[in-house]
Amino acid sequence: GESVGLHLPTLSVQEGDNSIINCAYSNSASDYFIWYKQESGKGPQFIIDIRSNMDKRQGQRVTVLLNKTVKHLSLQIAATQPGDSAVYFCAEGGSGLIFGQGTELSVKP
Amino acid sequence: KAGVTQTPRYLIKTRGQQVTLSCSPISGHRSVSWYQQTPGQGLQFLFEYFSETQRNKGNFPGRFSGRQFSNSRSEMNVSTLELGDSALYLCASTHLGLVGGGELFFGEGSRLTVL
């Protein structure tokens, strides 16, 4: 069936390093893709989105890359900070939202 | 402006009972969508309401239902509760709806425990 999945369940990085979180999707008809951050005890927080007709989009310290050829989505976080520690979800949207399982990012000081 | 508000934050029910959860969206947002989050299944889309009409529906049984009022507040109901319904139920609001994309604002969720 159609699904969005993450390659790695956990990711540990050193403070100041760049982080890359990956996601694979299977529904090539999705209109957009979104990255969310969820901290413990809180609801997901929007980070950045990208439309299906784009390859790259940049925000503040974050970049999302979309490779439609291999159905791959990635989130790059520059200069990772302790406050970036959270679970990150990718999601594909259109008529609903399909979420990946999440990657837990741990930032070591 | 005030964020998305969900009530109650925590509740405990027993099997066979029914539960109603409430969600107040951000002022001006016409779309409210609901999600179930569990450790095993992750975040799963339940349904979306837009201007009082159900616009999209995920793959959940008919025991899960919802509605939206004219002030955009939404409720979801789960009847004949099962142990597997224990989860964090999240709602989110957005102005354009899921079709339009863009930022989705989530509440902090209602944690349901079924005993």
Side-chain angles (χ1 to χ4, degrees), chain B residues 52-87:
Chain B
E52 301 180 66
T53 301
Q54 188 179 86
R55 186 182 263 189
N56 296 295
K57 191 177 190 303
N59 189 27
F60 277 81
R63 299 186 297 108
F64 293 80
S65 63
R67 59 178 175 169
Q68 187 179 34
F69 302 95
S70 58
N71 61 357
S72 291
R73 189 178 70 86
S74 177
E75 290 181 345
M76 69 161 282
N77 184 275
V78 188
S79 63
T80 319
L81 284 166
E82 302 176 359
L83 296 179
D85 296 332
S86 295

Side-chain angles (χ1 to χ4, degrees), chain A residues 15 37 39 45 61 80-86 88 105 107:
Chain A
E15 181 179 359
K37 170 187 179 183
E39 297 173 305
Q45 179 184 1
R61 283 200 307 118
T80 313
Q81 303 169 0
D84 294 327
S85 294
Y88 289 80
L105 175 64
V107 181

Side-chain angles (χ1 to χ4, degrees), chain A:
Chain A
E2 297 168 343
S3 65
V4 176
L6 295 174
H7 291 309
L8 297 174
T10 61
L11 176 65
S12 183
V13 300
Q14 204 71 35
E15 181 179 359
D17 287 352
N18 296 333
S19 303
I20 299 177
I21 302 172
N22 296 303
C23 176
Y25 66 93
S26 58
N27 183 7
S28 54
S30 293
D31 296 322
Y32 59 89
F33 302 86
I34 312 176
W35 281 99
Y36 289 95
K37 170 187 179 183
Q38 187 174 24
E39 297 173 305
S40 181
K42 296 184 179 180
Q45 179 184 1
F46 175 93
I47 301 173
I48 191 168
D49 63 352
I50 186 168
R51 305 295 301 192
S52 59
N53 60 354
M54 299 171 66
D55 298 320
K56 179 180 179 179
R57 190 168 187 216
Q58 289 183 289
Q60 187 176 14
R61 283 200 307 118
V62 295
T63 300
V64 56
L65 299 177
L66 176 61
N67 186 330
K68 293 180 285 292
T69 302
V70 295
K71 297 179 183 175
H72 183 267
L73 187 72
S74 69
L75 176 70
Q76 300 177 3
I77 304 174
T80 313
Q81 303 169 0
D84 294 327
S85 294
V87 176
Y88 289 80
F89 295 94
C90 64
E92 54 179 312
S95 57
L97 270 180
I98 302 174
F99 287 87
Q101 286 296 311
T103 291
E104 183 171 7
L105 175 64
S106 176
V107 181
K108 296 176 289 186

